Amino acid sequence: MTQNQLAYSRPENTIAAIGLAVAGMAAFTPIFAAGKIADGLLPVAVLVWLRFLGGALTIGTVAVVKRVPLHSRLSGLWKLHLMRAFCAVSGLGCSIYAASVLPLADATAISLTKGIVAIALAGLVLKEVISRKHWAAGAICIVGALMIVRSTETGGEYSELALSGVVSALLAAIFMACEALIIRYIAQREDTVTILAYVNVFAAILLAGPVLWVIWLHGISIETLIMFAWIGPLAIFGQALNISAYRRAGAATLAPVYYGSVVMSAIFGYVFWGEVPSSLAALGALLIIAGGLVLTLPASSRKSAQTL
């Protein structure tokens, strides 16, 4: 392990990592539901830009208050930060759109197929062997996703946009899987302020031109934009929690915890919009969770056994 890795790594602490991951999920639930909260007031692209612009301003303020010199945050991994920014923008945009046209719990459940996507990417990019257990987990998740799709097709007010919502949720899974792999790598090599600054600044710059044009085209007022200024600071808080979690436990250990976001989304959707998942959708979500557990729990167990 290099000196940088030693500086930013933390001792394995599963309990602390789980607590941080749960808190991070709670912070991001209203962000993913921002499209439903906006209810047409702002396009998805504007919401995504506000999230990253607000995040950049927040982390910049933190750096100023802490008197962090800019030159000390220059990163040799800027290409990875740029790749992560692209994945983050795309993943969040797809997630917000999916949640705006589907029940929040259904959109969240479908996006959790990112665990299977991560395994596929590991096989294609890293040439890792995909075992029969991985194939079985993937099959279970696919069946679960198909059940949710079927439930949305017959789900009344959501039926017309069901297909676009499902496709968006699946695309979100792909982008989030890529982002998770990048986060795990850089979280062991750089400090939280640097990691957050790069992704938020890069993302805000990437979106600035197109979004400013959309704001002008639709005549969106400053007051409306300010109404959603909370997205950026809340996202920074959630990101900091997630990075801290990844420093204390690996992706295999944390993956089962993040499947709890389905429950959190279901509660959030019920409290604010009275959404009640159908029995078919609930069963599909459970299958996706079961597939994720089949995929991750044995890996966690093996890792724990090796460290004892």
Side-chain angles (χ1 to χ4, degrees):
M1 185 176 286
T2 67
Q3 186 173 355
N4 278 347
Q5 287 176 286
L6 288 172
Y8 300 121
S9 296
R10 298 291 182 273
E12 290 286 328
N13 188 331
T14 301
I15 294 177
I18 289 174
L20 290 164
V22 170
M25 278 192 296
F28 273 101
T29 298
I31 295 173
F32 291 137
K36 200 180 291 286
I37 295 171
D39 194 24
L41 281 176
L42 292 175
V44 170
V46 177
L47 289 169
V48 174
W49 183 63
L50 286 175
R51 173 259 175 274
F52 288 107
L53 177 63
L57 293 174
T58 300
I59 200 66
T61 301
V62 171
V64 170
V65 170
K66 290 187 174 182
R67 298 181 179 180
V68 178
L70 182 61
H71 67 82
S72 69
R73 301 302 176 190
L74 296 178
S75 172
L77 302 175
W78 67 269
K79 291 181 181 179
L80 280 178
H81 287 293
L82 185 59
M83 289 173 59
R84 187 200 162 196
F86 174 79
C87 291
V89 166
S90 303
L92 181 60
C94 290
S95 296
I96 289 177
Y97 175 76
S100 69
V101 300
L102 293 174
L104 186 57
D106 291 359
T108 301
I110 294 173
S111 69
L112 287 178
T113 55
K114 64 183 180 181
I116 298 302
V117 175
I119 292 298
L121 288 174
L124 291 172
V125 179
L126 303 179
K127 307 302 180 183
E128 294 184 1
V129 177
I130 302 177
S131 68
R132 283 181 292 181
K133 185 168 292 184
H134 292 147
W135 287 113
I140 293 171
C141 287
I142 290 172
V143 171
L146 289 174
M147 293 177 72
I148 295 175
V149 171
R150 180 58 183 165
S151 73
T152 59
E153 289 176 347
T154 58
E157 63 179 299
Y158 294 100
S159 57
E160 293 184 4
L161 295 173
L163 180 58
S164 63
V166 168
V167 171
S168 292
L170 290 173
L171 287 174
I174 295 173
F175 288 120
M176 288 190 291
C178 294
E179 185 185 9
L181 293 177
I182 296 172
I183 290 175
R184 178 58 178 168
Y185 182 84
I186 61 179
Q188 299 294 327
R189 290 161 175 79
E190 295 185 343
D191 64 283
T192 300
V193 173
T194 300
I195 293 170
L196 295 182
Y198 268 90
V199 69
N200 285 277
V201 171
F202 277 164
I205 292 173
L206 286 172
L207 290 173
V211 168
L212 289 175
W213 180 78
V214 169
I215 291 173
W216 173 81
L217 184 67
H218 291 271
I220 299 171
S221 67
I222 297 296
E223 291 77 10
T224 302
L225 296 175
I226 292 175
M227 285 173 58
F228 291 88
W230 53 268
I231 299 178
L234 184 60
I236 289 297
F237 179 64
Q239 281 183 313
L241 292 170
N242 286 335
I243 290 172
S244 294
Y246 276 113
R247 283 202 176 113
R248 291 165 173 80
T253 301
L254 292 176
V257 179
Y258 283 111
Y259 281 93
S261 60
V262 175
V263 177
M264 199 168 290
S265 295
I267 294 172
F268 196 85
Y270 175 75
V271 170
F272 290 98
W273 297 285
E275 295 178 349
V276 179
S278 67
S279 56
L280 187 62
L283 181 57
L286 288 175
L287 283 176
I288 291 175
I289 293 172
L293 293 178
V294 168
L295 182 69
T296 58
L297 286 181
S300 299
S301 299
R302 287 196 301 270
K303 184 174 182 179
S304 298
Q306 291 172 357
T307 58
L308 291 177

